[in-house]
């Protein structure tokens, strides 16, 4: 594949993931143009990353025409309008989640860009190595038909995207029950870095069930998990022939022969290994379930997943398949909005078929 040159709307914390990927893999990626509204921030970004930064959207759109596509990485309250504007200008878009903040804007976005524009959503959790390995094993048939996925790994639409993919759910309706639970926790690291002292904060945990009729999703997340040293993630995937519990796998070879294995990260650079420091892939039972296509770059698992989205977007704009469509992104955000509604009301909320569900 030729070098991927993409535009970037945004200069915040999340946008820097794309800039780091381009810096770590300069033979594969380059940022052709960046847009931010603030002049001082534009100058700082240009100095720090060596990229051309525009503060006028018209100038950016002209420059982005020479890129394969543009990544929209802005706050959800303003990103939808930019996404529509780029799509209507004929520029392929890879949009950070969520595609819109509420149902009305999801419908408007779908009406204006859903069928005619080239839009994909940068839902990276599906491509994080350990999640990708779990999905590969679940899809292999060794668990049988997956009937339940319990996910405590990501908030809102991210968590729901994992649940739907693990269950193999399309756009079917769900009955959603949810509640919020508050408890004290010692404040841990944030985006800005480690804590400066001991302080007690309130942790808000959201628990929910999504009943798809014969298949059950269980959502469990607290925002502390992303950075906390003392709150871990958990994933359980169950079928009639076996289950995945975090990194452990058990399944039946036949009715009286259970088999056991473990998802194992294979890293270079440990124990005196001199290959470098990077993830090689994920194995279980002597089988590669995931191989890192960006080795030996020193990328976090989230960065590996984002880089995978960039590669898949390049293939898509060149005529390749959709990998996480606007319809998928709208559906996951819609269910996330209903989950929030159920948690506040305490009542069961049932989803309804939406315009994008025909895709």
């Amino acid at each position: 594949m030729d070098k991927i040159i993409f535009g970037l709307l945004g200069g915040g914390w999340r946008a820097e993931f794309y800039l780091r990927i381009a810096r770590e893999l300069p033979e594969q990626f380059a940022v052709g143009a960046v847009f931010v509204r603030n002049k001082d921030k534009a100058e700082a970004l240009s100095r720090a990353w060596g990229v051309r930064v525009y503060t006028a959207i018209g100038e950016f759109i002209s420059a982005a025409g020479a890129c394969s596509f543009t990544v929209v990485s802005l706050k959800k309250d303003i990103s939808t309008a930019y996404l529509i504007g780029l799509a209507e200008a004929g520029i392929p878009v890879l949009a950070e989640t969520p595609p819109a903040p509420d149902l009305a804007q999801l419908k408007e976005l779908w009406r204006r860009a859903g069928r005619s524009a080239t839009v994909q959503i940068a839902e990276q959790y599906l491509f994080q190595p350990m999640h990708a390995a779990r999905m590969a094993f679940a899809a292999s048939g060794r668990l049988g038909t997956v009937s339940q996925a319990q996910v405590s790994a990501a908030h809102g639409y991210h968590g729901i995207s994992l649940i739907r993919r693990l269950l193999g759910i399309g756009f079917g309706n769900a009955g959603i029950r949810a509640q919020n639970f508050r408890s004290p926790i010692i404040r841990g690291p944030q985006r800005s870095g480690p804590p400066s002292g001991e302080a007690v904060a309130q942790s808000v945990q959201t628990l929910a069930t999504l009943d798809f009729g014969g298949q059950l999703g269980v959502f469990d997340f607290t925002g502390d998990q992303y950075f906390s040293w003392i709150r871990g993630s958990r994933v359980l995937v169950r079928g009639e022939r076996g289950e995945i519990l975090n990194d452990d796998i058990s399944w039946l070879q036949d009715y009286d022969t259970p088999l056991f294995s473990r998802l194992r990260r294979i890293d270079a650079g440990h124990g005196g290994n001199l290959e470098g420091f990077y993830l090689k892939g994920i194995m279980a039972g002597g089988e590669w379930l995931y191989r890192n296509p960006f080795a030996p770059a020193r990328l976090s698992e989230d960065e590996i997943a984002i880089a995978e989205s960039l590669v898949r977007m390049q293939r898509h704009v060149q005529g390749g398949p959709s990998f996480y469509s606007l319809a998928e992104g709208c559906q996951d955000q819609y269910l996330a909005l209903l989950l929030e509604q159920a948690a506040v009301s305490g009542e069961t909320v049932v989803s309804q078929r939406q315009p994008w569900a025909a895709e």
Side-chain angles (χ1 to χ4, degrees), residues 253-267:
Q253 185 178 54
D254 53 53
Y255 75 95
D256 64 351
T257 309
L259 299 177
F260 305 94
S261 188
R262 186 173 181 82
L263 295 171
R264 180 182 174 188
R265 291 177 53 92
I266 309 298
D267 293 312

Side-chain angles (χ1 to χ4, degrees), residues 289-322:
L289 292 174
Y290 175 85
R291 286 180 182 267
N292 179 9
F294 306 105
R298 295 186 65 174
L299 299 174
S300 69
E301 290 203 5
D302 206 48
E303 290 164 344
I304 289 170
I306 294 168
E308 180 67 24
S309 291
L310 290 170
V311 169
R312 291 183 182 230
M313 184 64 184
Q314 178 78 351
R315 291 174 183 155
H316 181 59
V317 299
Q318 292 175 341
S322 169

Side-chain angles (χ1 to χ4, degrees), residues 65-82:
C67 300
S68 292
F69 56 88
T70 287
V71 174
V72 175
S73 182
L74 300 170
K75 292 181 180 179
K76 64 182 180 181
D77 295 336
I78 62 172
S79 64
T80 308
Y82 282 102

